[in-house]
């Protein structure tokens, strides 16, 4: 089976593209290594997506999923490891090879590590990089959020709203939006500035996080110290006809869900034009 388009990554960019490609009657497949919704699943309160009145990210994702279902967009679980170009594109996952006339990479970003002693051993158990993963393991407790950007403050507010005790540390003075900082202040979230994590280890009654000048005893750590683009191996030039990019993976410096969804839609429209032009010239011959 050769798909008209394979979309790698079911975040806002990939989901938006999937809906449009399916509306256009194309054979499309979405491949997602984790859960549909991407990074947006972690957002506390999305206030800048027109048409939605400050829902949490998970609620928005449920609405996106309904739209995928309305247009019967098939979604399979799997991590795409490599993309190659022969007569068609081949998209390799661990279990299977898929083939398509076009590929859209909407793979977003991945969290940066703290790179401190003890971190790797505790990752996924006591140290987390996405709120959604922490919530699968904890439903109460004291959480140290590391990172003073928008994501760090969003996580701290989200946790506090769920009844956790959140503490936020930032190595500088915190670069988050003033509105998020002010809400953290009003929610009574302790914020420690100019603090760096040095080491994480297990103590008798929980996690010990050694930082510059102080030590924190907490139940878990949620890291939000930056992100980097993630992509499968691409065995060809990236600027090749039929290979498209959308969302955070494309515009790393302006990572917002509405931009990602808009770019997904734009890529879908470009794919539709490419394929209909190709069909027209084939029919003329
Ligand atoms: C805490 C937090 C709060 C936020 N708040 C807001 C907000 O208020 N407003 C706003 O506009 N934006 C917000 N954002 C940003 C928004 O979530 C992102 O900009 C948006 O999700 C990007 O969409 P995307 O589809 O480009 O990438 P992502 O959402 O990152 O989705 C990429 C998907 O691709 C999958 N993937 C990656 N590699 C592979 C592979 N090799 N094979 C298969 N699948 C793969 C990933 O698992 C992921 O599901 C927030 C983000 C966070 C973390």
């Amino acid at each position: 089976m050769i798909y008209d388009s394979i979309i790698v990554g079911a975040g806002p960019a990939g989901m938006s593209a999937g809906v449009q490609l399916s509306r256009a009657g194309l054979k499309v497949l979405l491949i997602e290594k984790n859960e549909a919704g991407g990074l947006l699943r972690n957002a506390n309160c999305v206030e800048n997506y027109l048409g939605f009145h400050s829902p949490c990210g998970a609620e928005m994702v449920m609405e996106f999923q309904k739209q995928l279902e309305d247009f019967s967009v098939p979604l399979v679980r799997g991590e795409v490891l490599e993309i190659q170009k022969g007569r068609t594109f081949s998209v390799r996952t661990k279990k299977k090879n898929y083939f398509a006339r076009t590929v859209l990479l909407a793979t977003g970003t991945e969290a940066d590590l703290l790179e401190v002693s003890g971190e790797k051993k505790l990752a996924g158990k006591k140290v987390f990089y996405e709120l959604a993963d922490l919530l699968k393991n904890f439903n109460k407790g004291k959480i140290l959020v590391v990172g003073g950007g928008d994501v760090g403050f969003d996580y701290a507010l989200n946790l506090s709203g769920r009844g956790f005790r959140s503490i936020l540390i930032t190595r500088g003075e915190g670069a988050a939006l003033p509105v998020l900082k002010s809400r953290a202040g009003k929610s009574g979230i302790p914020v420690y500035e100019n603090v760096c994590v040095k080491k994480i280890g297990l103590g008798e009654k929980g996690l010990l996080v050694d930082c510059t000048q102080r030590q924190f005893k907490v139940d878990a750590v949620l890291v939000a110290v930056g992100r980097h683009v993630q992509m499968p191996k691409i065995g060809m030039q990236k600027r090749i006809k039929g290979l498209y990019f959308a969302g955070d993976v494309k515009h790393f410096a302006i990572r917002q869900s509405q931009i990602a969804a808009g770019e997904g839609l734009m890529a879908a429209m470009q794919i539709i034009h490419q394929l209909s032009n190709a069909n027209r010239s084939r029919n003329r011959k």
Side-chain angles (χ1 to χ4, degrees), residues 7-15 30-33 37 78 80 104-108:
I7 303 166
V8 187
M15 292 171 101
L30 253 171
I31 306 179
E32 168 57 51
K33 70 174 176 179
V80 171
L104 170 59
L105 280 174
T107 43

Side-chain angles (χ1 to χ4, degrees), residues 157-223:
L157 284 162
N158 197 333
L159 286 165
S160 160
R162 291 168 189 270
F164 288 88
R165 284 170 62 206
S166 53
I167 303 169
L168 186 142
I169 61 170
T170 164
R171 68 175 174 187
E173 285 169 11
L177 289 172
V179 66
L180 295 176
K181 285 183 168 183
S182 138
R183 280 180 199 154
K186 283 184 192 145
S187 307
I189 296 169
V191 175
Y192 296 89
E193 294 179 341
N194 303 309
V195 176
C196 277
V197 178
K198 296 285 177 206
K199 187 176 152 195
I200 308 177
L202 277 178
E204 269 179 28
K205 285 190 181 166
L207 210 54
L208 296 179
V209 186
D210 288 332
C211 301
T212 40
Q213 296 159 8
R214 60 177 73 232
Q215 186 185 59
F216 293 92
K217 280 187 198 155
V218 291
D219 295 300
V221 171
L222 183 54
V223 180

Side-chain angles (χ1 to χ4, degrees), residues 8-14 31-35 37-40 42-43 45-48 78-80 106-109 151 154-155 230 232 246-248 255-258 260:
V8 187
I31 306 179
E32 168 57 51
K33 70 174 176 179
N34 197 349
E35 281 166 42
L39 207 52
L40 190 61
N42 299 286
C45 175
V46 182
E47 296 170 318
N48 59 352
E79 178 171 5
V80 171
T107 43
T109 57
V151 171
D154 198 77
Y155 281 159
Q230 65 178 336
D248 286 4
R255 303 194 300 276
Q256 295 291 318
S257 50
Q258 195 164 11

Side-chain angles (χ1 to χ4, degrees), residues 53-104:
H53 294 276
S54 309
C56 70
E59 283 167 344
M60 287 181 72
V61 168
M62 275 163 61
E63 293 300 318
F64 292 175
Q65 269 173 319
K66 281 186 207 156
Q67 272 170 277
L68 281 187
E69 282 159 24
D70 287 348
F71 291 97
S72 308
V73 181
L75 190 150
V76 294
R77 205 61 170 313
E79 178 171 5
V80 171
L81 302 172
E82 188 172 10
I83 297 169
Q84 289 282 359
K85 176 84 169 86
R87 278 190 58 216
T88 61
F89 287 95
S90 82
V91 177
R92 181 170 70 83
T93 66
K94 207 170 176 184
K95 287 196 182 146
K96 202 171 163 180
N97 262 0
Y98 298 91
F99 300 94
R101 296 167 74 193
T102 61
V103 171
L104 170 59

Side-chain angles (χ1 to χ4, degrees), residues 39 107-111 130 227-230 248-249 252 255:
L39 207 52
T107 43
T109 57
E110 190 173 43
E130 286 195 24
R227 305 191 65 82
H228 56 271
V229 158
Q230 65 178 336
D248 286 4
V249 73
F252 178 75
R255 303 194 300 276

